[in-house]
Each structure stands twice: as C-alpha cells, then as structure tokens.
Amino acid sequence: MESSSNSEIAHEFFPFFKVYKDGRVEKFMVSEHVPPSDDPHMAVRSKDVVVSPEPAVSARVFMPQISNPSKKLPILVYMHGGGFSIGSAFHPGYHKYVSALVAKANIIAVSVDYRLAPEHPIPACYNDSWAALEWVASHANGDGPDPWLNIHADFGRVFLAGDSAGANISHNVAVRVGLTSLPGVKLIGVALVHPYFGGTEDDKMWLYMCPENKGLEDPRLKPAIEDLARLGCERLLVFVAEKDHLRERGTCYYEDLKKSGWKGTVEIVEHEGESHVFHLMKPKCDNAVDLMERLVSFIKHD
C-alpha cells in the first residue's frame, strides 16, 4: 500500500506534469510515437538518426522525392512544442505536419527529439537542439554521417522553426548562432509559431524546470535586447493567434526585435479567431492552410 507521503503532490503544472514528494514525475499526456517510413515511392521519406549517443539525442530526417539529383535543397531544423516537457519529433501530429511542410516547400527537414523536462532539466532542450544543428553542420563538406544531407542539402539555405516551446528553443539557438559561427552553414531564416516567452503564468513552470535559472529576467525566458540584436539569421517570421494566451508574448517579441538594432527583416502574421497551435489541432482549416503557405513562402522566399 502506497504511503500518504509518496502519493502527495509537491508540484502540479496542468496540463503538462505533476511531481510527487518522493520525486516521481507523472505526465498528463503520454506521447504517441509513429515509425519513420523510408519508402522511395512515397512523396516524403523519413528515417531516424542519432545526433548524440551521450547524452541521448535523436532526430527524424525527412526528404521529399528527388526529381533533379543535381539540385540542392534547403534544410529546416524543426523544434516541436509541448511546454518543454511533453511531445516528440516522433508524435503522429508532428510527423504529419513536418512531412506536409517538406512536400510543399521541397526541403529536407530535421525534426529534433530533444530531452524533456523536468526529468532532464532545462537547459537540456537548448543544448540538444544546438547539438542537432551542429550535427547538420557536420555534413557541410559532404562527409557527414547521413547520405541524404551529404548529397542533397544546401548548407547556404538553413532555416529554424518551432511552435510554442519549440519556438522559444529556435530563438535561443539562433542567438547562439549569432555568437558562435558554424563553418559552412548559413542560417537564413527563423520562423516562430505561437512562441512562448516570459510574462505569463507559465513562467512558474519554466523556472521550476530550469533549476539554474536567473529569475524572470533570464534571457532564455525573456529575450534580452542585446541577444535580439545579434540573432544569427537574416529573416524572421512570427505567427500569433488572436485567442492564444501567448499572443502578447509574440507581438512583444516582434516589437522588441524591431527596436533592438538587429539588421535583418522581421514580419508578423496574426490569425483571427484562432487559439494556441490551432494549425496542429485542425491542419485542414483555412487559417492552418494559410499558415502553412506563408511558412512555405518564407522558406522559398517567394
């Protein structure tokens, strides 16, 4: 029989997870996984790769049908959402969404399966996503571990994208690109879909997941002007949704970036009547189709 102390809840962050006094973590949503499909007859092929054996970081790589083998394709590194604590690159929703994006934009995508908090405290998610970008960069000379990237990827056209927590991670990786050069790689653009940044009730959870935090002014939580000024990309696209509780965080990010002195170009798109990550919940609705088309156009620079 379980003792009362073992069943007592120490912290609860609905709808993500709760922590018991004995240290056990219980997630409210268990992530489903779907396998990759490396079928050359499909419109999009996928396979799973090891980014790092220790710490254990993996990713799912997607490649469209290759009609012209001599034509190099842009690379998108995608970070999934889920409050830094749930979700996966292998989740059916993310697998389908990234596959659709790859088919429409004619790109190679690397969807990062970073380690989740609180079992792996922040900054694990940032470090793992940076490791994934370094793994992508290791192919720039054509001698990396993955033949798809060696043969077909254009390292002069690299993009980052993510939704919610994944958008926060994308921003932080782009800041690091601005501080640390990646030889042979050019980060062209970053797309932030319904980004999470500090200034809401969610901050309590982020601070709990990041024991070495610097408080509410931590630049990973609340982007510092000096970090915005040195983002390591040329273009940035922010998506917000009218009914999303994070809407103001996205609009503030856009305004702060414009005032920071950053030399790139930034655009913001708002979808009226929509809630947080609506494009994943109802991918066939008109606004989700519009979001996808704008993302594709951003990558293709139409």
Side-chain angles (χ1 to χ4, degrees), residues 1-297:
M1 184 173 176
E2 190 174 44
S3 71
S4 60
S5 61
N6 284 350
S7 61
E8 285 182 43
I9 296 170
H11 304 278
E12 182 166 344
F13 300 102
F14 188 81
F16 298 103
F17 63 89
K18 57 186 171 184
V19 183
Y20 293 93
K21 285 192 174 179
D22 64 1
R24 287 179 300 122
V25 175
E26 184 179 324
K27 301 290 173 78
F28 288 109
M29 288 181 269
V30 178
S31 184
E32 303 172 63
H33 284 191
V34 292
S37 182
D38 188 7
D39 180 345
H41 301 294
M42 294 186 68
V44 176
R45 298 165 66 183
S46 58
K47 62 180 173 182
D48 294 340
V49 299
V50 174
V51 168
S52 163
E54 185 56 45
V57 183
S58 56
R60 181 159 291 179
V61 182
F62 299 80
M63 185 175 71
Q65 283 279 8
I66 303 296
S67 56
N68 180 0
S70 65
K71 183 182 178 183
K72 301 286 187 177
L73 304 179
I75 311 162
L76 173 70
V77 180
Y78 192 88
M79 273 65 90
H80 70 82
F84 306 93
S85 58
I86 60 174
S88 167
F90 314 135
H91 185 277
Y94 282 109
H95 179 88
K96 288 177 186 175
Y97 195 79
V98 176
S99 293
L101 186 54
V102 164
K104 292 178 185 296
N106 199 35
I107 55 174
I108 293 172
V110 177
S111 187
V112 185
D113 199 54
Y114 55 83
R115 288 171 294 159
L116 301 175
E119 299 91 333
H120 303 282
I122 296 171
C125 56
Y126 300 127
N127 294 338
D128 294 354
S129 299
W130 176 255
L133 185 58
E134 286 188 312
W135 180 85
V136 168
S138 73
H139 298 79
N141 293 326
D143 57 359
D146 187 80
W148 289 0
L149 273 70
N150 285 334
I151 298 168
H152 301 293
D154 181 353
F155 295 91
R157 290 185 292 164
V158 176
F159 294 82
L160 301 177
D163 61 277
S164 195
N168 174 291
I169 295 170
S170 297
H171 156 79
N172 280 287
V173 171
V175 169
R176 196 160 170 179
V177 171
L179 293 168
T180 311
S181 63
L182 283 171
V185 170
K186 187 171 187 179
L187 181 60
I188 298 295
V190 177
L192 308 180
V193 183
H194 309 159
Y196 163 70
F197 293 111
T200 70
E201 278 294 306
D202 298 332
D203 298 354
K204 293 175 186 175
M205 187 173 92
W206 189 93
L207 293 170
Y208 174 79
M209 293 186 294
C210 184
E212 47 93 309
N213 70 75
K214 299 178 178 68
L216 292 172
E217 296 300 310
D218 191 305
R220 295 165 297 184
L221 180 64
K222 182 181 178 183
I225 290 294
E226 56 268 27
D227 284 347
L228 291 170
R230 57 185 173 223
L231 281 176
C233 59
E234 298 177 355
R235 296 188 281 120
L236 197 136
L237 176 60
V238 182
F239 289 98
V240 296
E242 181 190 13
K243 295 181 178 179
D244 184 1
H245 74 292
L246 297 179
R247 177 189 174 278
E248 285 189 20
R249 306 279 55 81
T251 56
C252 286
Y253 180 94
Y254 168 74
E255 295 296 342
D256 288 346
L257 182 56
K258 285 200 300 181
K259 293 183 287 192
S260 70
W262 179 60
K263 303 299 183 191
T265 57
V266 59
E267 180 186 357
I268 189 166
V269 174
E270 178 169 5
H271 288 103
E272 295 182 1
E274 302 291 1
S275 300
H276 192 60
V277 296
F278 71 89
H279 63 296
L280 297 173
M281 309 298 181
K282 41 181 187 175
K284 294 184 179 179
C285 76
D286 289 348
N287 280 335
V289 171
D290 178 73
L291 193 156
M292 173 73 81
E293 287 176 351
R294 288 174 183 268
L295 204 46
V296 169
S297 180

